[in-house]
Amino acid sequence: MNMTDWKAIYENRKTTVEQAVSTIQSYHKVFLAPFCNEPQTLVEELVRQKDRLREVSLYNIVIGSPCIYAASECFSHFKIRTFLSSAQLKQAFINKTCDYVPVNLSEIPELIKEEKIDIALIQVSPPNDEGYCNLGVSVDVVQTLIQHAAIVIAEVNQNMPFTYGDTFVHVSRIHHFIESQHKLLTIPYGKPSEEELKIGTYVASLIPDYATIQVGVGKVANSVLLSLKNKKGLGIHSGSITDPVIELMEMGVVTNERKEVKRHKTVCTTLTGTNELYDYCDRNEKIELMPTNYTHNATIISNISNFYSVNSALEVSITGQINAEQVGNYPIAGVGGQMDFILGSRLSPGGKAIIALPSTAKKGKESRIKFDVPYVTSIKSEIDYVVTEFGIAKLFGKSLQERAKELIAVAHPDFRAELTSQMNEQMMK
């Protein structure tokens, strides 16, 4: 296809945001591009047109989104189906206009094929000289949406960085374009506390030179990355990368030099950070973004030796059961990629699965190390280490009693006696 051809397609398919969103009808299934790639101009117009719509199913993966479609005035218009929840969806959960779909990120592309999505709302860069737009800050499941959604509407954002990997989309594959200069969604850099830095130091002590790592998002994850500055030759194959990765790459700590899959490339599916991170990744050939059925694929990860997954949790039982989704009546997080990466690390030669979390919640009033947990995201047999600011609990190969003692030892001192009493009482039954 020559330049004249693709330009004609692009011009013919350009429209206003009002006209593009008018394509959406009541009872449609609408999938929003996930994470910080959620197209805000399209979403804002969708909310403006809400009064003509009933029970539109909105599929999302929330990180960074203001979730304006979850406001009370939207309750009678949208039914949210989220794969990764947040506190901003709580009122919609209470009103029963939001539901949580617990699916591993690696499997969402397969679900999309089954769901028969009516409309995909995505966000891309302006086309290059060959007619290819770029997915920029996040690939995640968008390539699958483009292939399988009945209609694809793209917000063409002038602020989108150009990234490498499976990030290219030809204009001929998109049905409607609207142009935008909307600010991209960002995640502010959360500086870790002293407590979180201690967690990071303990986790770093477990990770050898030349290992390949996956680290989640948040201040505990940032503390882990900040604690790796004295390592050599690390690789990154992760769901997301965040601002501290910039320094590790600039320092030569992250080189990906021994990674068997995509050697010399930092691999992720989404950028979860500030504009500084986006600028760093713009046209940076050392970084590649790939779909979740690649980044989170345990078979691919199994070909990377010494793969260390580092994930967080809301609470952990004294047997090692991990709850990373829900406390109380409503989900506040999700399955995400935790089990994908834990399984991958277990299959990796020399790999390890680490859970890192503060020992307490609610300003020290509640222990995150529990006698039992009501919800289980990851099972006890898959976890090698649990780390808090009080140390490292080694779980692999340990009996239930040994695990309990290891985990009580890294609980906050204020709760150790109670946990020990509960353990002893259980043993007496």
PDB file of all heavy atoms in Angstrom, residues 23-29 50-57 77 118:
ATOM      1  N   THR A  23     -21.494   5.689  17.647  1.00  0.00           N
ATOM      2  CA  THR A  23     -21.522   4.304  17.164  1.00  0.00           C
ATOM      3  C   THR A  23     -21.931   3.339  18.274  1.00  0.00           C
ATOM      4  O   THR A  23     -22.497   2.271  18.020  1.00  0.00           O
ATOM      5  CB  THR A  23     -20.125   3.901  16.627  1.00  0.00           C
ATOM      6  OG1 THR A  23     -19.680   4.880  15.695  1.00  0.00           O
ATOM      7  CG2 THR A  23     -20.151   2.544  15.955  1.00  0.00           C
ATOM      8  N   ILE A  24     -21.634   3.706  19.514  1.00  0.00           N
ATOM      9  CA  ILE A  24     -21.944   2.852  20.667  1.00  0.00           C
ATOM     10  C   ILE A  24     -23.438   2.931  20.977  1.00  0.00           C
ATOM     11  O   ILE A  24     -24.006   4.025  21.084  1.00  0.00           O
ATOM     12  CB  ILE A  24     -21.117   3.280  21.894  1.00  0.00           C
ATOM     13  CG1 ILE A  24     -19.617   3.145  21.583  1.00  0.00           C
ATOM     14  CG2 ILE A  24     -21.490   2.458  23.123  1.00  0.00           C
ATOM     15  CD1 ILE A  24     -18.712   3.741  22.637  1.00  0.00           C
ATOM     16  N   GLN A  25     -24.058   1.765  21.127  1.00  0.00           N
ATOM     17  CA  GLN A  25     -25.482   1.691  21.404  1.00  0.00           C
ATOM     18  C   GLN A  25     -25.740   0.941  22.719  1.00  0.00           C
ATOM     19  O   GLN A  25     -24.848   0.266  23.238  1.00  0.00           O
ATOM     20  CB  GLN A  25     -26.205   0.975  20.250  1.00  0.00           C
ATOM     21  CG  GLN A  25     -26.042   1.663  18.901  1.00  0.00           C
ATOM     22  CD  GLN A  25     -26.598   3.079  18.871  1.00  0.00           C
ATOM     23  OE1 GLN A  25     -27.684   3.326  19.402  1.00  0.00           O
ATOM     24  NE2 GLN A  25     -25.862   4.010  18.262  1.00  0.00           N
ATOM     25  N   SER A  26     -26.931   1.071  23.219  1.00  0.00           N
ATOM     26  CA  SER A  26     -27.308   0.358  24.441  1.00  0.00           C
ATOM     27  C   SER A  26     -27.050  -1.137  24.283  1.00  0.00           C
ATOM     28  O   SER A  26     -27.228  -1.703  23.201  1.00  0.00           O
ATOM     29  CB  SER A  26     -28.793   0.594  24.754  1.00  0.00           C
ATOM     30  OG  SER A  26     -29.037   1.947  25.049  1.00  0.00           O
ATOM     31  N   TYR A  27     -26.606  -1.733  25.379  1.00  0.00           N
ATOM     32  CA  TYR A  27     -26.340  -3.173  25.489  1.00  0.00           C
ATOM     33  C   TYR A  27     -25.096  -3.625  24.711  1.00  0.00           C
ATOM     34  O   TYR A  27     -24.817  -4.820  24.661  1.00  0.00           O
ATOM     35  CB  TYR A  27     -27.572  -4.001  25.062  1.00  0.00           C
ATOM     36  CG  TYR A  27     -28.824  -3.583  25.773  1.00  0.00           C
ATOM     37  CD1 TYR A  27     -29.795  -2.858  25.111  1.00  0.00           C
ATOM     38  CD2 TYR A  27     -29.002  -3.865  27.130  1.00  0.00           C
ATOM     39  CE1 TYR A  27     -30.941  -2.437  25.777  1.00  0.00           C
ATOM     40  CE2 TYR A  27     -30.145  -3.446  27.802  1.00  0.00           C
ATOM     41  CZ  TYR A  27     -31.108  -2.729  27.120  1.00  0.00           C
ATOM     42  OH  TYR A  27     -32.229  -2.310  27.793  1.00  0.00           O
ATOM     43  N   HIS A  28     -24.365  -2.691  24.132  1.00  0.00           N
ATOM     44  CA  HIS A  28     -23.110  -3.054  23.483  1.00  0.00           C
ATOM     45  C   HIS A  28     -22.067  -3.485  24.512  1.00  0.00           C
ATOM     46  O   HIS A  28     -22.106  -3.045  25.674  1.00  0.00           O
ATOM     47  CB  HIS A  28     -22.548  -1.869  22.691  1.00  0.00           C
ATOM     48  CG  HIS A  28     -22.966  -1.857  21.255  1.00  0.00           C
ATOM     49  ND1 HIS A  28     -22.694  -0.810  20.400  1.00  0.00           N
ATOM     50  CD2 HIS A  28     -23.630  -2.768  20.492  1.00  0.00           C
ATOM     51  CE1 HIS A  28     -23.165  -1.064  19.198  1.00  0.00           C
ATOM     52  NE2 HIS A  28     -23.746  -2.251  19.238  1.00  0.00           N
ATOM     53  N   LYS A  29     -21.136  -4.304  24.064  1.00  0.00           N
ATOM     54  CA  LYS A  29     -19.953  -4.644  24.847  1.00  0.00           C
ATOM     55  C   LYS A  29     -18.810  -3.760  24.357  1.00  0.00           C
ATOM     56  O   LYS A  29     -18.410  -3.851  23.191  1.00  0.00           O
ATOM     57  CB  LYS A  29     -19.591  -6.112  24.673  1.00  0.00           C
ATOM     58  CG  LYS A  29     -20.614  -7.093  25.226  1.00  0.00           C
ATOM     59  CD  LYS A  29     -20.155  -8.532  24.999  1.00  0.00           C
ATOM     60  CE  LYS A  29     -21.149  -9.523  25.576  1.00  0.00           C
ATOM     61  NZ  LYS A  29     -20.695 -10.929  25.344  1.00  0.00           N
ATOM     62  N   LYS A  50     -24.067   9.520  27.916  1.00  0.00           N
ATOM     63  CA  LYS A  50     -24.616   8.423  28.713  1.00  0.00           C
ATOM     64  C   LYS A  50     -26.134   8.364  28.717  1.00  0.00           C
ATOM     65  O   LYS A  50     -26.738   7.282  28.786  1.00  0.00           O
ATOM     66  CB  LYS A  50     -24.103   8.506  30.156  1.00  0.00           C
ATOM     67  CG  LYS A  50     -24.595   9.718  30.937  1.00  0.00           C
ATOM     68  CD  LYS A  50     -23.981   9.760  32.319  1.00  0.00           C
ATOM     69  CE  LYS A  50     -24.545  10.927  33.127  1.00  0.00           C
ATOM     70  NZ  LYS A  50     -24.345  12.245  32.479  1.00  0.00           N
ATOM     71  N   ASP A  51     -26.804   9.524  28.673  1.00  0.00           N
ATOM     72  CA  ASP A  51     -28.255   9.541  28.853  1.00  0.00           C
ATOM     73  C   ASP A  51     -29.015   8.814  27.749  1.00  0.00           C
ATOM     74  O   ASP A  51     -30.175   8.424  27.944  1.00  0.00           O
ATOM     75  CB  ASP A  51     -28.759  10.984  28.960  1.00  0.00           C
ATOM     76  CG  ASP A  51     -28.324  11.651  30.253  1.00  0.00           C
ATOM     77  OD1 ASP A  51     -27.995  10.917  31.212  1.00  0.00           O
ATOM     78  OD2 ASP A  51     -28.285  12.889  30.304  1.00  0.00           O
ATOM     79  N   ARG A  52     -28.396   8.610  26.601  1.00  0.00           N
ATOM     80  CA  ARG A  52     -29.061   7.861  25.528  1.00  0.00           C
ATOM     81  C   ARG A  52     -28.763   6.369  25.610  1.00  0.00           C
ATOM     82  O   ARG A  52     -29.259   5.593  24.784  1.00  0.00           O
ATOM     83  CB  ARG A  52     -28.632   8.405  24.155  1.00  0.00           C
ATOM     84  CG  ARG A  52     -27.180   8.137  23.807  1.00  0.00           C
ATOM     85  CD  ARG A  52     -26.841   8.581  22.387  1.00  0.00           C
ATOM     86  NE  ARG A  52     -25.450   8.275  22.068  1.00  0.00           N
ATOM     87  CZ  ARG A  52     -25.019   7.084  21.662  1.00  0.00           C
ATOM     88  NH1 ARG A  52     -25.880   6.082  21.517  1.00  0.00           N
ATOM     89  NH2 ARG A  52     -23.737   6.893  21.403  1.00  0.00           N
ATOM     90  N   LEU A  53     -27.965   5.948  26.601  1.00  0.00           N
ATOM     91  CA  LEU A  53     -27.484   4.568  26.665  1.00  0.00           C
ATOM     92  C   LEU A  53     -28.003   3.837  27.899  1.00  0.00           C
ATOM     93  O   LEU A  53     -28.175   4.437  28.962  1.00  0.00           O
ATOM     94  CB  LEU A  53     -25.953   4.548  26.687  1.00  0.00           C
ATOM     95  CG  LEU A  53     -25.260   5.161  25.459  1.00  0.00           C
ATOM     96  CD1 LEU A  53     -23.775   5.332  25.720  1.00  0.00           C
ATOM     97  CD2 LEU A  53     -25.499   4.308  24.219  1.00  0.00           C
ATOM     98  N   ARG A  54     -28.220   2.542  27.731  1.00  0.00           N
ATOM     99  CA  ARG A  54     -28.598   1.676  28.851  1.00  0.00           C
ATOM    100  C   ARG A  54     -27.750   0.416  28.820  1.00  0.00           C
ATOM    101  O   ARG A  54     -27.541  -0.200  27.777  1.00  0.00           O
ATOM    102  CB  ARG A  54     -30.077   1.280  28.759  1.00  0.00           C
ATOM    103  CG  ARG A  54     -31.052   2.401  29.087  1.00  0.00           C
ATOM    104  CD  ARG A  54     -32.489   1.906  29.053  1.00  0.00           C
ATOM    105  NE  ARG A  54     -32.698   0.794  29.985  1.00  0.00           N
ATOM    106  CZ  ARG A  54     -32.881   0.939  31.291  1.00  0.00           C
ATOM    107  NH1 ARG A  54     -32.859   2.154  31.832  1.00  0.00           N
ATOM    108  NH2 ARG A  54     -33.089  -0.111  32.058  1.00  0.00           N
ATOM    109  N   GLU A  55     -27.242   0.065  30.009  1.00  0.00           N
ATOM    110  CA  GLU A  55     -26.541  -1.191  30.241  1.00  0.00           C
ATOM    111  C   GLU A  55     -25.473  -1.495  29.193  1.00  0.00           C
ATOM    112  O   GLU A  55     -25.387  -2.596  28.650  1.00  0.00           O
ATOM    113  CB  GLU A  55     -27.546  -2.344  30.343  1.00  0.00           C
ATOM    114  CG  GLU A  55     -28.452  -2.213  31.541  1.00  0.00           C
ATOM    115  CD  GLU A  55     -29.217  -3.489  31.862  1.00  0.00           C
ATOM    116  OE1 GLU A  55     -28.713  -4.577  31.550  1.00  0.00           O
ATOM    117  OE2 GLU A  55     -30.313  -3.372  32.424  1.00  0.00           O
ATOM    118  N   VAL A  56     -24.669  -0.499  28.909  1.00  0.00           N
ATOM    119  CA  VAL A  56     -23.474  -0.734  28.097  1.00  0.00           C
ATOM    120  C   VAL A  56     -22.436  -1.427  28.981  1.00  0.00           C
ATOM    121  O   VAL A  56     -22.117  -0.932  30.063  1.00  0.00           O
ATOM    122  CB  VAL A  56     -22.906   0.589  27.543  1.00  0.00           C
ATOM    123  CG1 VAL A  56     -21.561   0.358  26.864  1.00  0.00           C
ATOM    124  CG2 VAL A  56     -23.895   1.232  26.573  1.00  0.00           C
ATOM    125  N   SER A  57     -21.951  -2.567  28.562  1.00  0.00           N
ATOM    126  CA  SER A  57     -20.924  -3.278  29.329  1.00  0.00           C
ATOM    127  C   SER A  57     -19.564  -2.680  29.015  1.00  0.00           C
ATOM    128  O   SER A  57     -19.129  -2.672  27.858  1.00  0.00           O
ATOM    129  CB  SER A  57     -20.923  -4.767  28.971  1.00  0.00           C
ATOM    130  OG  SER A  57     -22.114  -5.382  29.381  1.00  0.00           O
ATOM    131  N   HIS A  77     -26.438   3.549  33.376  1.00  0.00           N
ATOM    132  CA  HIS A  77     -26.051   3.535  31.963  1.00  0.00           C
ATOM    133  C   HIS A  77     -24.961   2.512  31.639  1.00  0.00           C
ATOM    134  O   HIS A  77     -24.957   1.952  30.540  1.00  0.00           O
ATOM    135  CB  HIS A  77     -25.590   4.928  31.538  1.00  0.00           C
ATOM    136  CG  HIS A  77     -26.564   6.006  31.873  1.00  0.00           C
ATOM    137  ND1 HIS A  77     -27.768   6.153  31.198  1.00  0.00           N
ATOM    138  CD2 HIS A  77     -26.544   6.978  32.825  1.00  0.00           C
ATOM    139  CE1 HIS A  77     -28.429   7.173  31.708  1.00  0.00           C
ATOM    140  NE2 HIS A  77     -27.716   7.693  32.700  1.00  0.00           N
ATOM    141  N   ASP A 118     -18.237  -5.623  20.859  1.00  0.00           N
ATOM    142  CA  ASP A 118     -18.825  -4.780  19.818  1.00  0.00           C
ATOM    143  C   ASP A 118     -17.920  -3.619  19.435  1.00  0.00           C
ATOM    144  O   ASP A 118     -17.736  -3.332  18.243  1.00  0.00           O
ATOM    145  CB  ASP A 118     -20.178  -4.224  20.300  1.00  0.00           C
ATOM    146  CG  ASP A 118     -21.206  -5.314  20.504  1.00  0.00           C
ATOM    147  OD1 ASP A 118     -21.564  -5.979  19.516  1.00  0.00           O
ATOM    148  OD2 ASP A 118     -21.625  -5.525  21.661  1.00  0.00           O
TER     149      ASP A 118
END
